[in-house]
Amino acid sequence: MRESLGIYLHFPFCVKKCSYCDFLSGPADSGTRKAYADALCREIYSFGREYGMRETLSRDGKIPVDTIFLGGGTPSVMDPEDLSRVMETVFKVFDVLPGVEISMEMNPGTFREEMLAFVKKYINRVSLGLQSADDRELQMLGRIHTYSEFESCYGTLRDAGISNINVDLMSAIPGQTLASWERSLDRVLRLRPEHMSCYSLIVEEGTPFYALYEDGRLDLPGEDEEREMYYLTKQILETYGYHRYEISNYALPGCECRHNIRYWRRSPYVGFGIGAASLLDETRWSNTRDLTRYLSGSGSLRDIREEIQDLSVSEQMEEFMFLGLRMMEGVSAADFAEAFGCELDSVFGAVCVRLISEGLLDREGDRYKLTSRGIDISNSVLAEFLLC
Ligand code: SF4
């Protein structure tokens, strides 16, 4: 039997769009959310029927699963009964292993006490989208919550026994200063969440921020200030005892997100819901982004899948490098040889030697890792591992 799967469940609904967001998400009424939960269940059942009996996936008709991630959009905007129906389906169709990590993204502005029963039953890791601890910045971002609403949601989750919490924060927000970024970090870190995801704002095309940016009316921090925020992030998080294990992710020891590590290590995962991406048996695919098509077609996998790509060996090797090097532990030459039957250096030796000479990559024993400078310009360094 093969290694266990990760499952991603996409919930594409939000109370309203944030000003910077280009994710596949938007407002919807309760009837649509209910219909979507039903469509998700149909897709999960269809997957179980189609893949469950495959010898490579399972011997007893149930595929083992050891991470589940409810993401969005805002899963916490869903009605708890609808979420429960989806999770019951997951537990019926898959062999959910003991010790499974089940993460759920929550927007502090949509958290309701009535969700607690669902959370206590199914969820053991919560990811809270805070973005800033400054109410003025939250308003600028178009967020629907205040900092104190976040704090009360955080406290309620702790009281309910959730012992693994991530908080998302964002730097380089319009109007943000180095001092206000430091205050946000300090305020949140004093709560001692197990995990922190810290990103810089990217102004994406098609968002309200993009329109303001084009008009020259978005008051972004300057390039130097943005870099200072970036360096300050690592410094403060390390002071509080967090270690960086991926370019934008920090954790207390042992609290790294297992589901996300799966993506960087190219372990198999299957995404359910509109726009959800999957990697299984060296094939990548994404579901349709069209909600109407998904609602009517989710019972037939071939009707909702798009962008199906059987990865060539070269593409698998590229991904091994540029995903694996996102992690601070880097990539192992022995793992590469085991996966591909040839030496890492025979494929990437020249580029590794050059990046080492430029101070962007390190070799420690069996592993290649990005240096601090390599991490700072990771996008361009990782692009060096594209083979064609
Ligand atoms: S809550 Fe999250 S997914 Fe929804 S609009 Fe805001 S950033 Fe996007």
Side-chain angles (χ1 to χ4, degrees):
M1 192 169 65
R2 61 172 300 146
E3 65 182 306
S4 45
L5 277 190
I7 289 181
Y8 174 78
L9 301 164
H10 188 71
F11 296 91
F13 308 119
C14 294
V15 172
K16 75 181 240 311
K17 284 299 271 185
C18 301
S19 308
Y20 57 91
C21 178
D22 75 335
F23 296 157
L24 183 52
S25 64
D29 58 36
S30 153
T32 305
R33 296 196 301 266
K34 207 166 274 312
Y36 183 78
D38 291 338
L40 266 179
C41 293
R42 285 196 295 278
E43 187 190 0
I44 296 165
Y45 277 126
S46 302
F47 182 88
R49 272 195 305 276
E50 196 165 313
Y51 288 79
M53 298 314 289
R54 286 195 190 178
E55 185 65 18
T56 49
L57 291 173
S58 112
R59 288 219 180 94
D60 58 1
K62 278 195 167 189
I63 302 164
V65 161
D66 66 1
T67 65
I68 301 172
F69 196 102
L70 288 73
T74 311
S76 52
V77 94
M78 298 287 293
D79 297 329
E81 313 83 71
D82 293 334
L83 289 172
S84 295
R85 221 164 49 252
V86 173
M87 290 305 286
E88 278 161 20
T89 306
V90 169
F91 274 74
K92 253 186 233 163
V93 169
F94 293 97
D95 176 16
V96 179
L97 298 175
V100 62
E101 173 191 273
I102 308 183
S103 303
M104 176 174 174
E105 290 182 340
M106 280 188 197
N107 180 321
T110 59
F111 180 75
R112 288 103 64 212
E113 295 273 332
E114 73 203 51
M115 304 206 68
L116 278 180
F118 168 80
V119 170
K120 283 183 185 167
K121 181 164 180 192
Y122 287 110
I123 305 299
N124 55 28
R125 181 175 184 276
V126 170
S127 179
L128 285 168
L130 170 63
Q131 315 311 346
S132 169
D134 178 311
D135 284 343
R136 205 181 42 85
E137 290 173 4
L138 287 172
Q139 211 177 5
M140 155 64 77
L141 291 171
R143 301 289 299 178
I144 58 166
H145 55 86
T146 60
Y147 180 72
S148 75
E149 281 167 330
F150 157 80
E151 262 194 347
S152 106
C153 171
Y154 186 97
T156 309
L157 289 168
R158 283 296 196 217
D159 292 345
I162 298 296
S163 59
N164 195 352
I165 297 184
N166 167 64
V167 180
D168 287 343
L169 280 183
M170 191 183 278
S171 59
I173 295 170
Q176 193 176 45
T177 62
L178 192 60
S180 73
W181 174 233
E182 184 168 2
R183 272 197 305 278
S184 273
L185 284 166
D186 271 331
R187 240 176 150 178
V188 174
L189 289 169
R190 267 187 250 126
L191 298 173
R192 206 131 182 92
E194 285 66 32
H195 192 284
M196 295 282 298
S197 296
C198 299
Y199 298 93
S200 294
L201 171 73
I202 298 174
V203 180
E204 303 282 2
E205 229 175 311
T207 61
F209 269 7
Y210 190 80
L212 289 172
Y213 176 76
E214 289 281 277
D215 275 3
R217 290 191 293 129
L218 197 63
D219 174 27
L220 293 172
E223 213 172 294
D224 290 348
E225 201 169 20
E226 193 273 326
R227 279 288 96 179
E228 282 182 71
M229 289 179 191
Y230 168 83
Y231 292 122
L232 185 72
T233 307
K234 178 167 182 277
Q235 188 193 317
I236 294 191
L237 278 150
E238 284 182 350
T239 309
Y240 276 88
Y242 294 75
H243 76 103
R244 183 190 221 171
Y245 70 101
E246 192 269 347
I247 293 169
S248 308
N249 286 285
Y250 298 79
L252 295 175
C255 299
E256 301 79 12
C257 176
R258 283 166 32 207
H259 186 81
N260 286 345
I261 288 176
R262 182 178 276 290
Y263 294 135
W264 301 313
R265 289 201 181 138
R266 305 187 69 256
S267 301
Y269 56 89
V270 176
F272 296 102
I274 62 168
S278 304
L279 171 66
L280 182 61
D281 294 336
E282 297 305 351
T283 299
R284 287 192 179 277
W285 70 84
S286 296
N287 283 351
T288 176
R289 296 171 67 86
D290 180 333
L291 181 60
T292 310
R293 185 172 152 204
Y294 181 77
L295 290 178
S296 63
S298 72
S300 164
L301 300 180
R302 79 175 63 81
D303 291 346
I304 55 164
R305 285 189 185 167
E306 292 175 349
E307 300 165 37
I308 300 170
Q309 187 192 7
D310 292 323
L311 297 172
S312 66
V313 174
S314 299
E315 287 165 335
Q316 294 169 37
M317 289 174 170
E318 288 172 349
E319 289 192 0
F320 181 98
M321 297 304 286
F322 67 69
L323 292 175
L325 284 171
R326 293 190 64 86
M327 298 190 61
M328 300 305 108
E329 65 173 25
V331 296
S332 147
D335 289 350
F336 185 95
E338 193 186 325
F340 302 112
C342 65
E343 295 302 315
L344 189 158
D345 287 345
S346 70
V347 183
F348 294 108
V351 66
C352 288
V353 167
R354 182 164 50 76
L355 291 172
I356 288 171
S357 74
E358 292 169 2
L360 301 170
L361 192 72
D362 248 348
R363 178 155 192 167
E364 276 176 33
D366 161 61
R367 307 193 80 87
Y368 285 105
K369 305 171 183 190
L370 294 182
T371 60
S372 304
R373 273 192 52 221
I375 295 166
D376 294 350
I377 52 163
S378 57
N379 284 347
S380 57
V381 177
L382 297 175
E384 296 284 331
F385 292 92
L386 297 175
L387 288 167
C388 38

